[in-house]
Amino acid sequence: MEHFLAAIDAATRRLALKPVSIDAWRDNIAYLPRDSMLGVEDFDGPGKVDVAGQADASGQRRSIRARVNVVEPGWLLAPDEIGLSREAFAQLGLPENSEITLTRTPPQHSRDALRAKIQGHELGASEYAMLLRDIVEGRYPEGEISAFLVAATRSLSDAEVGALASVRASFSTPLRWNEPIVVDKHSMGGIPGSRITLIVAPIVAAHGLAMPKTSSRAITSAAGTADAMEVLAKVDLTVDDVRRTVAEARACIAWNGRLNHSAVDDVMNAITRPLGIDSNRWSVASIISKKLTAGSTHVAVDLPYGRRAKLRSQAEAEELGRLFETVGSSVGLHVEAVATCGAGPIGRGIGPALEVRDVLWVLEGQPEAPADLREKALAFAGRILSWDPAVATPERGRARAAELLDSGAARMALDAIVAAQGRREIVPKPAALTHTVKALRPGRIGEIDGWCIAGIARRAGAPFDKGAGIDLLRRVGDDVTAGEALFIIHASAGPELEAAVAMAAQDDGFVLAGEAALLD
């Protein structure tokens, strides 16, 4: 490898371009004969090179990045020729026999940074900027990226997390707002039904602060915030849509897939998800970078903890909260992180339409409104409103939030947001096919396994079927008798309902008080 790269670096002769009728699908492949003038006898194939034509009259050069395969002498290519696979040749767009040069990729100083991180050394912002750019541009094979990511999960200092956040943000065009305060809220997730954003954003908008909220769709849960908001309105917004919605309604609740698209995440997630690589510190850098891209100045972070939550203990949540606040401060964001109890779902509904039903109950002051959903929403809304100098404290913020909620102003604000984003003509309702799951034995409910409940809801069809999910009838701390209803499964089709019922029969997710202690 090193011999080959050194040969490329030193080469001054040109290679003649030849098309090779091989379909390499999405991979750009360059073919060099083993007797090439570059001397590739030691090359084993995992590296990449830049293949470039000659500069035109304006000084521009056509180039692509390609993986090199070595072929036997005399088979396809002469010693002074380079071949490109069908897709690579078309992408480069130069005629056959054009003069081509190869450039070593990645540059040595980038590779030095990667090796330093793999060895556990701390990198600075300039090194991360160089390294991530080369990774995004495809200069490294997956094996080396995987090694880098494993090393990064093991050793990232607070300063490195801040550097990564700034560098990652630099890969996107940030939104700019002519506002002294632009607020946002983020949750580490993992708690089914905790759809407080659809309550918090209207409260904040009714008060008058700008809240351009971008949210994700579900990956492993029964609904993400974007999935729930999509029950009411269009969420696939452009930047112009977001600006217009915030101008008209003071807030939006949009899907982040288009707005916060990250080329870094595209590359990293393709590797980390199959390998199960997970790092809270890497996540903090990603989250903070997205808030910078959104143009936020103040961010509230919800850190739920519990035996089956992403964060297992209050101490772990508080430690991560300190990191959020430290990193936020280092990049110019005011961040307040709050550890919250995640012993069970929040609200009754699990699944997009059922969660929206709960949200509307809270906003409309209905007697069926889940008290825990209302209280958590008021707590976070109050914290956010306290950033307004006219409010100043969380206590006054909560009182103001309750006033806006109880007066109906927040409900009107949600209507304004929905109208600005694009109201759905037909609002999905909870699915009509149902099955009631009942307690098998008496006792006090000590825990509700959110992952289990979400799994049953997904089996019923959520989040793709907006009406599918679970309607919880009992909460943690309730006493139940054998045969008493615990929850109702909603599905739109018989097979999905049967599958969800079968899954619930194996484990309904409800753990009685004595049993919870045995599971620790």
Side-chain angles (χ1 to χ4, degrees), residues 437-447 474 478-486 504-516 518-519:
V437 175
K438 299 178 180 179
L440 298 177
R441 51 199 174 280
R444 176 165 294 175
I445 301 170
E447 180 181 316
R474 295 293 180 267
D478 289 352
D479 292 316
V480 295
T481 59
E484 190 172 356
L486 298 176
Q506 294 179 346
D507 185 355
D508 59 25
F510 278 67
V511 183
L512 299 182
E515 298 168 339
L518 296 175
L519 295 174

Side-chain angles (χ1 to χ4, degrees), residues 163-467:
L164 276 168
S166 296
V167 169
R168 289 170 66 101
S170 71
F171 282 83
S172 302
T173 302
L175 282 167
R176 300 296 184 198
W177 303 93
N178 187 25
E179 302 270 357
I181 298 175
V182 178
V183 305
D184 205 339
K185 171 201 157 287
H186 180 83
S187 174
M188 291 298 284
I191 307 302
S194 185
R195 204 54 57 217
I196 67 170
T197 296
L198 271 68
I199 304 170
V200 171
I203 291 174
V204 170
H207 180 73
L209 292 180
M211 188 171 181
K213 181 75 181 81
T214 60
S215 301
S216 61
R217 295 189 183 275
I219 297 175
T220 59
S221 65
T225 297
D227 299 307
M229 185 62 179
E230 199 170 35
V231 170
L232 301 173
K234 175 184 175 183
V235 297
D236 186 7
L237 305 185
T238 66
V239 170
D240 288 341
D241 290 334
V242 168
R243 291 190 180 280
R244 176 184 50 76
T245 300
V246 173
E248 294 176 7
R250 298 304 289 152
C252 70
I253 304 171
W255 176 51
N256 62 14
R258 181 189 295 194
L259 297 166
N260 288 132
H261 177 264
S262 168
V264 178
D265 283 341
D266 285 347
V267 176
M268 302 307 185
N269 290 344
I271 296 170
T272 57
R273 285 176 180 166
L275 295 177
I277 298 173
D278 191 18
S279 166
N280 284 336
R281 287 182 162 262
W282 187 268
S283 295
V284 169
S286 175
I287 292 162
I288 293 295
S289 72
K290 287 179 170 61
K291 303 311 174 188
L292 290 172
T293 301
S296 304
T297 62
H298 293 66
V299 182
V301 181
D302 179 16
L303 301 173
Y305 62 89
R307 191 176 64 84
R308 293 302 300 272
K310 292 180 181 178
L311 304 172
R312 300 298 296 273
S313 68
Q314 183 174 354
E316 182 183 3
E318 290 174 348
E319 180 182 356
L320 188 62
R322 286 190 288 272
L323 178 64
F324 263 110
E325 292 174 357
T326 298
V327 172
S329 178
S330 73
V331 298
L333 285 180
H334 178 87
V335 178
E336 293 184 19
V338 185
T340 59
C341 179
I346 301 292
R348 278 182 51 177
I350 313 296
L354 288 156
E355 293 176 20
V356 169
R357 177 207 63 186
D358 287 358
V359 165
L360 295 179
W361 279 348
V362 171
L363 288 169
E364 294 169 358
Q366 300 293 336
E368 302 94 337
D372 56 352
L373 182 65
R374 171 188 164 90
E375 184 54 39
K376 186 170 183 178
L378 285 175
F380 274 90
R383 183 173 292 272
I384 291 171
L385 295 187
S386 73
W387 296 330
D388 180 350
V391 178
T393 69
E395 294 76 19
R396 292 177 62 184
R398 191 195 180 287
R400 173 63 172 154
E403 174 191 342
L404 294 166
L405 185 60
D406 294 341
S407 69
R411 179 67 178 91
M412 293 174 61
L414 177 63
D415 268 345
I417 295 168
V418 167
Q421 289 188 201
R423 190 184 305 275
R424 283 190 66 139
E425 292 184 7
I426 300 176
V427 176
K429 301 295 183 183
L433 297 180
T434 63
H435 174 85
T436 301
V437 175
K438 299 178 180 179
L440 298 177
R441 51 199 174 280
R444 176 165 294 175
I445 301 170
E447 180 181 316
I448 300 176
D449 187 334
W451 285 108
C452 180
I453 291 294
I456 297 170
R458 286 179 69 88
R459 189 63 60 89
F464 305 106
D465 177 356
K466 300 294 188 188

Side-chain angles (χ1 to χ4, degrees), residues 26-70:
R26 297 180 180 177
D27 204 6
N28 288 338
I29 303 294
Y31 299 93
L32 289 175
R34 193 171 295 281
D35 60 348
S36 171
M37 63 173 62
L38 293 179
V40 298
E41 62 275 7
D42 296 328
F43 181 60
D44 58 6
K48 288 191 177 183
V49 295
D50 281 335
V51 182
Q54 301 305 299
D56 59 20
S58 65
Q60 300 297 311
R61 292 159 56 97
R62 288 180 175 270
S63 68
I64 61 169
R65 189 154 295 118
R67 192 181 309 277
V68 175
N69 284 355
V70 178

Side-chain angles (χ1 to χ4, degrees), residues 86-150:
R86 184 179 300 158
E87 299 80 4
F89 185 83
Q91 185 178 338
L92 184 59
L94 293 176
E96 184 175 351
N97 291 321
S98 296
E99 284 193 344
I100 294 298
T101 58
L102 300 185
T103 305
R104 173 179 176 166
T105 179
Q108 186 60 46
H109 47 282
S110 173
R111 187 171 293 280
D112 288 344
L114 180 136
R115 288 172 176 166
K117 190 65 227 175
I118 290 175
Q119 293 166 4
H121 299 299
E122 183 171 331
L123 301 184
S126 61
E127 292 169 302
Y128 275 119
M130 168 182 61
L131 184 53
L132 291 186
R133 185 177 300 106
D134 286 345
I135 288 174
V136 168
E137 291 179 357
R139 294 177 181 267
Y140 285 100
E142 286 189 5
E144 293 183 64
I145 300 173
S146 299
F148 163 73
L149 288 171
V150 169

